[in-house]
Amino acid sequence: MKRIFFAALCTTVVAALVTGQFDWDPARFSASPGRVVGEWVGTVLPTFAAGSIVGSIVYWVRRRSSNPWKGALAAVITCLILEALSIMAG
């Protein structure tokens, strides 16, 4: 189960780093560091949650399988699809 959350977290963070808009203005960050971090976490959290939920469902469905990574691929695919949809929508 930990592998699902790890896979979803890694995929979400990498996708956010690749697709995110980072305008690191030191004045903006020093004036409001909570807002800058909140903007980044606010975009990562829903994708991570959706990937974790889908991965957990697949893990539960395939609970008798001997594959230790069951559900992790579903979490990764879900995160990538959600990131692609957010890019197309934005």
Side-chain angles (χ1 to χ4, degrees), residues 15 20 30 33-34 41 58-60 75 79 81 83 86 88:
S30 63
V41 170
V58 171
Y59 180 86
W60 181 76
C79 291
I81 288 173
E83 286 294 329
S86 70
M88 289 191 300

Side-chain angles (χ1 to χ4, degrees), residues 28-39:
R28 180 175 174 251
F29 185 75
S30 63
S32 177
R35 181 180 173 131
V36 174
V37 172
E39 288 174 358

Side-chain angles (χ1 to χ4, degrees), residues 34-83:
R35 181 180 173 131
V36 174
V37 172
E39 288 174 358
W40 193 75
V41 170
T43 59
V44 169
L45 194 59
T47 306
F48 169 71
S52 297
I53 290 169
V54 170
S56 297
I57 291 170
V58 171
Y59 180 86
W60 181 76
V61 169
R62 297 187 60 201
R63 66 185 174 273
R64 299 201 190 270
S65 174
S66 63
N67 183 2
W69 286 91
K70 57 187 169 222
L73 183 61
V76 169
I77 291 171
T78 303
C79 291
L80 292 177
I81 288 173
L82 289 175
E83 286 294 329

